[in-house]
């Protein structure tokens, strides 16, 4: 009996620092996921200063991880035990429904907009003028779990009487990111592309000639753009602190530099109501979230 | 020398400066080359990182999308490093060609990133995915080829740069060594040449200095070259000549001082013979190196030559000359004689020095020094003449004072002798009076009782009267005897005397009186040597003193006898505790016939004692206080002098 007590005591003594250390470690790092809405390397370059800024302000190391495919993000969020992620409109809805996360802040673009539209684009020299011309062509979507890169186009096609859009085209594929979808059209790998307006505008800003190469066949209603959703498992005080830092960083000279690098003017409050247009699109696209297979 | 030194040092400085300049140039060049080499090595490291990262990413390309694929974060990290490597290369300054190549490389990296991103994020059929993978792999390989090609070029440049840098380092070492060697040799040559020249010059000056030190004043150093040492040798020569000149002047002064001293000697030893004029004129001649000298003194309205009384000058003319020269010593020159002066003065041939002898500014004589042998009289002679004038004048005054003193002394002696004679007569009178008084008493008694006996018939009464007459006669005889004793010059019988024993004998003699007088005796005898003295006379002295002490203590008291040494002499204290001697009487106690005992004493005891001790070469001291006592101290030498 005595031996058993000593064994238990020694075990507690050995395990106690390990337990403490592990708890401390979870508190000492915040891991936030990024959906690959553009070239993932460029995107990581944009977000890395924000990670440093938050680390400095929170005194907790904050880093980002690329979620390689839109559809994977729900699974990867769980597997990697993420504390939050910058989601697109559709993925935000998916996360709210499946991961019990809470929308915290949204990005306000440089031009003051806080929303993005979905574009159906073609090359000007493709000869495609409307939906009828698209039949039998190759279309590049971004991902099944993106509103501006997929959902709005499905709703659009259904509104225009195409019951099964996938059989309407010769080939369809998912580029995984908006700029890849744009590049697919520009490179001729796809005839039609479904992309987010902000990505197109950003690309045109960097390469103005592109504007003459593409034409927009259709565009969606404004949809909420990149939104930071934080896990409800995260300490509410820490959640509030992160939100406060992000909301006020446009008043901090250092924060302004980070925002410029991010390609945004500031962060604004986000709420579940912001995503009502997405729910409407889901209805139009005849997609039931509970049964929807967002994975490829 | 200074110029040559400056030129030599300037050449050395120039040589060193050139050497240092060349060395600095090579060091700078080498440093630059080494910097380039280091930078190229850095670039090599960057290139290697680039290659490694590219190869790593290429490896990941084959596993992306499979179960063995790495996490996207790892790929992102590698691509980020790859991108950093390229950007760090572009950050440096390169030539146009290289810049263009780096720009192409950067573009290639961007394309590679796009291809990778597309491959990682695209969801499509396998064929499309493989196509994307092929695109990415092809771009990656192209990138690797570009990097390796650039690395090859960089390696070549690195090799050439390294070789050049090593060659420059070697060159700079050789040049530095040659420069320093040449500079050292030149410095050595300059040092040897200058040292030899300086040593030679200094040696010459040292030798001259040694000669100077050994007393060879006026020695000169002849330095042949025209430089600073020439100036130094000239300064040395000046110094040597100046020293010689000053030395000669000092010798002259010393000689004159010596003569001056010699002049003063006869003047200090003025005797009854008066002023030693002959000596004086001779020494003055020597003092001024003159051919002749004369002394003229005032005498009865004229100034007469002491040595040749035929030569004289009227007082009036002499005083006019004295005033003409403002009472100061003067130089007379035949070619410019004074407008006044006696015929004799005017006949002086050559030059003469007039030294006035004064008595309180009044002219009393003239010392004339004729014709200086070595040149003419000058200011120095005048200064000495002024001193001499004062000395001789003072001597004349002293001579006069001494003569006055002699006269006064003679007068004083005569007066003193008269006073002594008068005092002797007075003393003799007093002594005669005292003797008469002493003898008068017994004689009066004798006369009285003789007259009574003549009238007396009773034989017994006559017998009694005769007895008294006899006693009084004896007393008179004793007085006369003592007087004779006092007057008589007794011879001293010298022998060894132990004063302590002598005093005990005296005490024995007086023991009865001491006992009756109730006097306590204290003997405080010290350790004293045996002295040479007359035993009996000393006994008489101390017996007299003890009797006086007993008389002074009628009520009894303490008598202390004390012996001891004072320096090399023996002393004896006879001290009583009696009534003491009044201060007004004390100076008279050693006078003959002076007594305080009335009929009980003759007043000769202490006078005789005093004479005895004096004859022994000693003395008696007395100290007395009223009602406290008296102490007589006899001090005697151990050995009686002849």
């Amino acid at each position: 009996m005595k031996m058993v007590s000593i064994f238990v005591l020694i075990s507690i003594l050995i395990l106690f620092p390990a337990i403490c250390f592990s708890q401390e470690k979870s508190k000492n790092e915040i891991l936030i996921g990024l959906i690959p809405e553009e070239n993932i390397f460029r995107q990581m370059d944009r977000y890395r200063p924000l990670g440093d800024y938050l680390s400095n302000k929170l005194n907790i190391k904050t880093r980002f991880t690329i979620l390689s495919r839109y559809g994977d993000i729900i699974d990867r969020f769980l597997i990697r035990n993420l504390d939050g992620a910058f989601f697109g409109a559709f993925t935000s809805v998916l996360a709210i429904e499946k991961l019990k996360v809470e929308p915290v802040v949204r990005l306000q673009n440089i031009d003051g907009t806080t929303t993005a539209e979905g574009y159906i684009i073609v090359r000007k020299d493709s000869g495609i003028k409307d939906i009828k011309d698209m039949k039998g062509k190759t279309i590049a979507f971004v991902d099944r779990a993106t509103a501006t890169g997929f959902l709005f186009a499905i709703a659009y096609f259904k509104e225009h009487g195409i019951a099964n859009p996938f059989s309407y085209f010769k080939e369809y594929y998912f580029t995984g990111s908006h700029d890849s979808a744009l590049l697919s059209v520009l490179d001729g790998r796809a005839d039609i592309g479904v992309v987010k307006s902000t990505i197109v505008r950003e690309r045109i800003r960097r390469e103005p000639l592109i504007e003459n190469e593409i034409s927009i066949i259709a565009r969606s209603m404004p949809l909420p753009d990149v939104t930071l959703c934080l896990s409800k498992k995260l300490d509410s005080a820490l959640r509030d602190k992160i939100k406060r830092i992000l909301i006020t960083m446009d008043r901090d000279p250092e924060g302004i530099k980070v925002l410029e690098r991010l390609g945004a003017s500031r962060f604004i409050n986000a709420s579940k109501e912001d995503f009502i247009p997405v729910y409407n699109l889901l209805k139009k696209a005849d997609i039931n979230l509970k049964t929807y297979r967002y994975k490829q | 020398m200074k110029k040559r030194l400056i030129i030599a040092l300037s050449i050395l400085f120039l040589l060193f400066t050139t050497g240092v300049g060349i060395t600095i140039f090579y060091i700078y060049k080498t440093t630059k080359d080494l910097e380039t080499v280091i930078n190229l090595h850095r670039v090599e490291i960057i290139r290697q990182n680039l290659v490694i990262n590219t190869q790593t990413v290429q490896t990941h390309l084959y596993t992306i999308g499979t179960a063995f694929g790495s996490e996207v974060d790892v790929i992102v990290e590698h691509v980020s490093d790859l991108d950093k490597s390229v950007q760090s290369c572009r950050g440096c300054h390169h030539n146009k060609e290289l810049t263009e190549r780096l720009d192409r490389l950067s573009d290639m990296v961007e394309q590679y990133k796009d291809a990778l991103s597309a491959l990682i994020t695209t969801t499509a059929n396998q064929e499309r995915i493989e196509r994307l993978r092929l695109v990415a792999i092809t771009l990656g390989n192209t990138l690797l080829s570009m990097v390796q090609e650039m690395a090859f070029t960089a390696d070549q440049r690195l090799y050439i740069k390294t070789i050049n840098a090593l060659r420059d380092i070697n060159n700079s070492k050789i040049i530095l060594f040659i420069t320093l060697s040449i500079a050292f040799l030149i410095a050595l040559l300059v040092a040897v040449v200058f040292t030899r020249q300086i040593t030679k010059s200094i040696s010459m000056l040292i030798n001259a200095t040694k000669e100077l030190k050994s007393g060879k004043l006026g020695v000169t150093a002849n330095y042949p070259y025209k430089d600073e040492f020439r100036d130094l040798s000239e300064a040395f020569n000046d110094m040597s000549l100046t020293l010689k000149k000053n030395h000669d002047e000092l010798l002259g002064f010393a000689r004159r001082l010596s003569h001056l001293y010699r002049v003063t000697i006869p003047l200090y030893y003025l005797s009854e013979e008066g002023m030693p004029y002959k000596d004086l004129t001779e020494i003055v001649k020597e003092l001024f190196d003159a051919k002749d000298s004369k002394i003229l003194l005032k005498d009865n309205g004229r100034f007469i030559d002491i040595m040749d009384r035929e030569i004289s000058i009227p007082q009036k003319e002499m005083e006019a000359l004295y005033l003409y020269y403002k009472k100061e010593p003067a130089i007379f020159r035949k070619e410019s004689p004074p407008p006044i002066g006696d015929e004799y003065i005017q006949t002086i041939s050559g030059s003469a020095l007039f030294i006035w002898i004064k008595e309180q500014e009044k002219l009393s004589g003239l010392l004339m020094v004729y014709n200086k042998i070595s040149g003419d009289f000058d200011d120095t002679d005048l200064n000495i003449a002024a001193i001499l004038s004062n000395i001789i004048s003072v001597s004349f005054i002293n001579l006069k004072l001494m003569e006055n003193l002699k006269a006064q002394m003679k007068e004083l002696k005569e007066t003193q002798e008269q006073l002594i004679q008068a005092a002797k007569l007075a003393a003799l009178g007093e002594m005669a009076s005292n003797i008469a008084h002493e003898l008068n008493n017994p004689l009066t008694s004798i006369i009285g009782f003789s007259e009574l006996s003549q009238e007396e018939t009773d034989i017994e009464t006559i017998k009694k009267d005769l007895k008294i007459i006899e006693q009084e006669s004896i007393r008179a005889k004793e007085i006369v005897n003592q007087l004779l004793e006092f007057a008589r010059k007794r011879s001293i019988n010298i022998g060894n005397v132990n004063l302590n024993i002598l005093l005990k004998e005296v005490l024995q003699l007086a023991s009865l009186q001491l006992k009756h007088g109730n006097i306590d005796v204290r003997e405080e005898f010290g350790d004293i040597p045996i002295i040479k003295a007359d035993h009996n006379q000393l006994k008489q002295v101390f017996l007299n003193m003890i009797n006086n002490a007993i008389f002074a203590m009628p009520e009894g008291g303490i008598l202390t006898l004390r012996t001891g040494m004072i320096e090399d002499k023996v002393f004896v204290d006879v001290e009583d505790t009696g009534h003491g001697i009044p201060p007004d009487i004390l100076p008279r106690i050693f006078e003959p016939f002076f007594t305080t005992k009335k009929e009980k004493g003759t007043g000769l005891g202490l006078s005789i004692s005093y004479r005895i001790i004096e004859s022994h070469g000693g003395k008696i001291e007395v100290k007395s206080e009223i009602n406290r006592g008296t102490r007589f101290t006899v001090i005697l030498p151990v050995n009686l002098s002849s």
Side-chain angles (χ1 to χ4, degrees):
Chain A
M1 187 65 188
K2 195 177 175 183
M3 287 294 286
V4 172
S5 302
I6 291 167
F7 178 76
V8 169
L9 189 65
I10 290 168
S11 303
I12 289 168
L13 283 171
I14 291 168
L15 289 171
F16 183 74
I19 292 161
C20 291
F21 180 73
S22 64
Q23 283 180 347
E24 200 172 335
K25 193 179 176 185
S26 67
K27 284 176 190 171
N28 280 345
E29 185 175 271
I30 295 170
L31 188 60
I32 296 171
L34 292 174
I35 51 163
E37 63 176 1
E38 57 175 326
N39 182 317
I40 55 171
F41 309 112
R42 202 175 296 127
Q43 189 176 359
M44 187 58 100
D45 286 345
R46 278 174 56 214
Y47 276 87
R48 200 174 280 121
L50 181 64
D52 297 338
Y53 182 78
L54 283 171
S55 299
N56 190 33
K57 293 286 178 186
L58 292 168
N59 207 19
I60 301 169
K61 184 166 173 58
T62 306
R63 65 186 184 88
F64 295 100
T65 180
I66 292 286
L67 301 170
S68 62
R69 289 184 177 81
Y70 272 77
D72 291 346
I73 59 167
I74 302 301
D75 295 338
R76 290 181 67 80
F77 195 98
L78 293 169
I79 291 164
R80 300 204 59 186
N81 193 25
L82 299 186
D83 297 302
F86 279 96
F87 291 118
F90 194 2
T91 43
S92 292
V93 171
L94 277 172
I96 290 164
E97 294 299 324
K98 292 182 181 293
L99 298 174
K100 307 299 178 193
V101 296
E102 182 183 56
V104 179
V105 288
R106 282 197 291 140
L107 271 175
Q108 180 176 299
N109 298 316
I110 299 283
D111 57 8
T113 59
T114 59
T115 56
E117 295 165 331
Y119 288 163
I120 297 172
I121 58 165
V122 294
R123 282 194 314 281
K124 279 188 177 172
D125 59 1
S126 67
I128 300 169
K129 301 286 184 195
D130 54 28
I131 196 163
K132 293 194 290 292
D133 299 333
M134 294 180 192
K135 190 174 169 72
K137 302 291 184 185
T138 302
I139 186 164
F141 296 106
V142 176
D143 192 279
R144 281 181 192 276
T146 168
T148 53
F150 176 72
L151 183 61
F152 111 84
I154 299 302
Y156 174 80
F157 291 139
K158 289 207 171 175
E159 271 181 352
H160 286 78
I162 300 167
N164 185 2
F166 299 116
S167 62
Y168 187 72
F169 299 101
K170 185 180 87 181
E171 186 190 351
Y172 68 92
Y173 64 94
F174 298 94
T175 60
S177 68
H178 289 275
D179 64 346
S180 284
L182 175 61
L183 275 177
S184 295
V185 174
L186 290 170
D187 292 348
R189 282 179 275 143
D191 302 311
I192 307 150
V194 184
V195 294
K196 190 160 72 174
S197 59
T198 52
I199 298 297
V200 175
R201 282 204 295 274
E202 171 61 19
R203 191 80 189 194
I204 289 169
R205 190 182 64 78
R206 284 192 276 127
E207 298 174 58
L209 290 174
I210 291 173
E211 195 170 10
N212 299 325
E213 290 182 33
I214 57 170
S215 55
I216 301 164
I217 303 297
R219 58 179 72 195
S220 73
M221 68 185 74
L223 296 167
D225 204 356
V226 178
T227 304
L228 174 66
C229 297
L230 291 176
S231 170
K232 287 180 181 175
K233 291 177 189 171
L234 201 63
D235 179 55
S236 62
L238 184 59
R239 277 205 313 258
D240 292 345
K241 195 174 179 183
I242 291 167
K243 183 174 181 177
R244 193 167 58 249
I245 290 165
L246 292 172
I247 291 289
T248 58
M249 72 186 284
D250 61 315
R251 278 167 266 167
D252 174 16
E254 196 187 340
I256 290 168
K257 284 182 190 170
V258 174
L259 284 168
E260 281 172 3
R261 189 82 177 81
L262 203 57
S265 58
R266 63 180 178 130
F267 283 100
I268 57 167
N269 269 317
S271 65
K272 202 174 173 181
E273 288 69 34
D274 295 338
F275 299 95
I276 290 170
V278 182
Y279 284 100
N280 291 337
L281 274 179
L282 285 168
K283 277 183 188 171
K284 283 180 186 174
D286 199 19
I287 292 172
N288 183 354
L289 273 179
K290 289 179 182 172
T291 58
Y292 180 59
R293 288 180 65 247
Y294 55 86
K295 288 185 197 174
Q296 271 77 38
Chain B
M1 180 66 76
K2 191 177 169 186
K3 276 182 186 172
R4 272 182 275 168
L5 266 173
I6 289 169
I7 290 165
L9 288 175
S10 300
I11 291 167
L12 267 178
F13 178 75
L14 272 173
L15 203 67
F16 268 113
T17 310
T18 311
V20 168
I22 292 167
T23 309
I24 289 170
F25 171 74
Y26 269 95
I27 288 171
Y28 178 76
K29 193 169 178 295
T30 311
T31 312
K32 287 290 284 181
D33 288 346
L34 286 175
E35 269 179 23
T36 310
V37 170
I38 290 164
N39 283 334
L40 286 171
H41 276 288
R42 277 196 198 130
V43 171
E44 177 61 17
I45 292 165
I46 293 168
R47 183 196 67 79
Q48 284 175 5
N49 285 340
L50 191 61
V51 170
I52 290 164
N53 284 319
T54 311
Q55 284 174 342
T56 308
V57 174
Q58 285 288 83
T59 310
H60 289 314
L61 280 180
Y62 293 103
T63 55
I64 283 174
T66 68
F68 307 104
S70 299
E71 280 293 328
V72 176
D73 289 349
V74 177
I75 297 168
V76 169
E77 202 60 40
H78 283 299
V79 172
S80 177
D81 289 343
L82 187 151
D83 202 26
K84 276 182 195 166
S85 301
V86 175
Q87 295 311 321
S88 65
C89 273
R90 292 187 77 194
C92 302
H93 295 288
H94 297 294
N95 57 38
K96 193 181 171 188
E97 185 196 353
L98 189 60
T99 307
E100 283 173 1
R101 290 177 76 176
L102 282 172
D103 287 345
R104 282 203 300 278
L105 188 69
S106 180
D107 289 343
M108 184 60 71
V109 169
E110 285 302 314
Q111 285 177 39
Y112 187 49
K113 278 160 72 178
D114 282 339
L116 281 173
S117 181
L119 176 64
I120 291 164
T121 58
T122 297
T123 307
N125 56 45
Q126 194 56 37
E127 186 190 342
R128 182 168 288 278
I129 293 295
E130 287 307 321
R131 229 175 22 240
L132 287 173
R133 193 191 309 276
L134 187 64
V135 170
I137 288 168
T138 308
L139 282 170
N141 288 336
T142 310
L143 188 64
L144 271 174
S145 301
M146 279 179 79
V147 171
Q148 278 162 351
E149 187 191 341
M150 286 173 75
F152 177 72
T153 313
D155 276 346
Q156 278 187 323
R157 283 190 64 204
L158 182 63
Y159 176 74
I160 293 163
K161 285 272 182 188
T162 307
I163 293 292
N164 287 343
L166 288 172
R167 192 188 61 222
D168 287 345
I169 289 166
N170 205 34
N171 286 344
S172 62
K173 274 198 297 189
I174 292 164
I175 286 168
L176 192 61
F177 177 75
I178 291 168
T179 312
L180 288 176
S181 301
I182 292 169
F184 175 75
L185 287 172
I186 289 173
L188 193 67
L189 187 70
V190 168
V192 168
V193 168
F194 279 89
T195 306
R196 284 186 65 182
Q197 200 166 338
I198 289 168
T199 311
K200 194 179 163 189
S201 309
I202 289 173
S203 177
M204 194 183 72
L205 280 170
I206 286 171
N207 289 334
T209 311
K210 278 180 181 169
E211 281 188 59
L212 191 68
K213 189 187 169 189
S214 66
K216 199 174 171 184
L217 296 176
V219 67
T220 53
N222 296 314
Y223 186 72
Y225 307 109
K226 202 171 181 182
D227 56 22
E228 286 77 8
F229 280 104
R230 175 72 167 270
D231 297 341
L232 187 62
S233 69
E234 282 174 2
F236 174 82
N237 292 345
D238 287 348
M239 181 188 73
S240 175
L241 292 170
T242 308
L243 275 175
K244 188 175 186 320
K245 190 184 165 198
N246 290 342
H247 181 256
D248 291 346
E249 281 179 6
L250 276 174
L251 279 179
F253 280 125
R255 188 173 52 78
R256 287 185 173 187
L257 271 175
S258 169
H259 286 307
L260 203 58
Y261 176 67
R262 282 179 62 198
V263 170
T264 58
I265 288 171
L267 295 176
Y268 287 139
Y269 295 104
L270 289 171
S271 62
E272 287 183 354
E273 288 85 38
M275 189 66 78
Y277 295 114
K278 196 164 188 298
D279 291 349
L280 189 61
T281 50
E282 286 301 315
I283 296 164
V284 167
K285 260 165 64 180
E286 281 184 39
L287 173 62
F288 291 102
D289 192 24
K291 288 177 182 167
D292 196 9
S293 73
K294 282 183 186 304
I295 294 177
L296 285 85
L297 289 179
K298 191 164 76 176
D299 186 6
N300 202 16
R302 294 188 75 81
F303 281 81
I304 300 166
D305 186 345
I306 295 297
M307 308 303 292
D308 182 0
R309 297 193 71 86
E310 293 298 313
I311 300 170
S312 69
I313 299 170
Q315 182 180 345
K316 200 176 172 183
E317 291 192 20
M318 183 67 99
E319 282 175 351
L321 202 64
Y322 176 56
L323 292 172
Y324 173 75
Y325 285 118
K326 295 176 182 173
K327 302 181 182 179
E328 295 293 329
I331 299 167
F332 171 89
R333 289 190 175 87
K334 180 72 181 170
E335 58 270 18
S336 55
I340 47 173
D342 174 72
E343 195 179 322
Y344 173 74
I345 296 290
Q346 299 297 341
T347 57
I348 294 170
S349 60
S351 60
L353 191 63
F354 288 179
I355 302 165
W356 308 108
I357 300 166
K358 296 177 271 186
E359 193 178 330
Q360 292 176 342
E361 294 300 307
K362 283 185 180 175
L363 188 64
S364 59
L366 173 65
L367 173 61
M368 287 195 292
V369 187
Y370 296 94
N371 299 326
K372 193 169 183 175
I373 297 166
S374 55
D376 197 4
F377 294 110
D378 55 18
D379 287 350
T380 312
D381 295 322
L382 278 176
N383 289 336
I384 294 168
I387 297 166
L388 197 60
S389 169
N390 286 334
I391 292 169
I392 295 171
S393 298
V394 169
S395 301
F396 271 81
I397 292 166
N398 284 345
L399 184 64
K400 201 162 268 184
L401 284 173
M402 198 174 75
E403 283 168 1
N404 287 341
L405 189 65
K406 273 182 189 172
Q408 283 173 2
M409 285 294 287
K410 191 181 175 189
E411 196 178 332
L412 189 64
K413 199 174 179 184
E414 284 170 3
T415 309
Q416 194 181 28
E417 280 173 1
Q418 285 171 6
L419 281 171
I420 289 166
Q421 191 62 29
K424 275 181 181 175
L425 285 172
L428 195 66
E430 191 177 352
M431 196 175 81
S433 169
N434 284 336
I435 294 165
H437 178 71
E438 285 295 319
L439 285 173
N440 193 45
N441 289 338
L443 286 175
T444 304
S445 298
I446 290 166
I447 292 165
F449 280 102
S450 297
E451 286 172 354
L452 282 173
S453 296
Q454 284 175 8
E455 292 172 4
E456 191 62 60
T457 54
D458 184 23
I459 193 75
E460 288 302 317
T461 307
I462 291 169
K463 279 182 179 176
K464 279 183 185 176
D465 289 344
L466 286 172
K467 188 68 180 176
I468 291 167
I469 289 166
E470 186 190 14
Q471 285 172 346
E472 288 300 311
S473 299
I474 291 166
R475 192 180 160 208
K477 193 185 177 189
E478 278 178 359
I479 290 166
V480 171
N481 282 342
Q482 284 192 3
L483 191 60
L484 286 170
E485 181 74 17
F486 178 72
R488 186 163 60 100
K489 282 192 174 178
R490 291 175 59 179
S491 60
I492 302 173
N493 188 16
I494 298 297
N496 289 335
V497 175
N498 186 328
L499 279 176
N500 289 346
I501 295 169
L502 186 144
L503 288 171
K504 281 182 183 291
E505 288 172 6
V506 174
L507 280 174
Q508 188 63 39
L509 287 174
S511 60
L512 198 63
Q513 291 162 277
L514 291 166
K515 193 178 177 184
H516 288 160
N518 198 26
I519 290 165
D520 186 15
V521 178
R522 291 183 185 172
E523 296 174 11
E524 296 177 6
F525 295 158
D527 187 13
I528 53 170
I530 291 168
I531 65 166
K532 294 284 183 185
D534 186 316
H535 187 271
N536 288 328
Q537 284 192 3
L538 289 188
K539 212 169 175 180
Q540 186 184 344
V541 168
F542 292 118
L543 186 61
N544 178 258
M545 285 183 178
I546 289 167
N547 281 332
N548 287 345
I550 292 166
F551 183 78
M553 296 184 287
E555 304 300 324
I558 300 166
L559 172 68
T560 305
L561 294 181
R562 190 181 297 114
T563 60
M565 294 288 290
I566 300 173
E567 296 176 349
D568 58 343
K569 292 180 179 175
V570 178
F571 77 86
V572 178
D573 281 346
V574 179
E575 190 176 309
D576 64 54
T577 55
H579 46 62
I581 304 166
D584 55 325
I585 290 172
L586 201 58
R588 300 186 63 196
I589 58 170
F590 293 109
E591 288 180 9
F593 300 109
F594 181 81
T595 181
T596 55
K597 297 176 191 169
K598 306 216 188 282
E599 285 78 17
K600 290 181 181 176
T602 60
L604 288 170
L606 278 177
S607 300
I608 293 165
S609 297
Y610 189 86
R611 188 169 283 187
I612 290 167
I613 295 301
E614 201 174 37
S615 68
H616 277 78
K619 61 180 179 178
I620 302 174
E621 291 175 354
V622 190
K623 196 172 181 185
S624 183
E625 284 184 61
I626 296 294
N627 299 327
R628 296 289 296 272
T630 304
R631 185 178 72 207
F632 283 86
T633 302
V634 176
I635 300 167
L636 289 163
V638 175
N639 290 309
L640 188 63
S641 66
S642 59

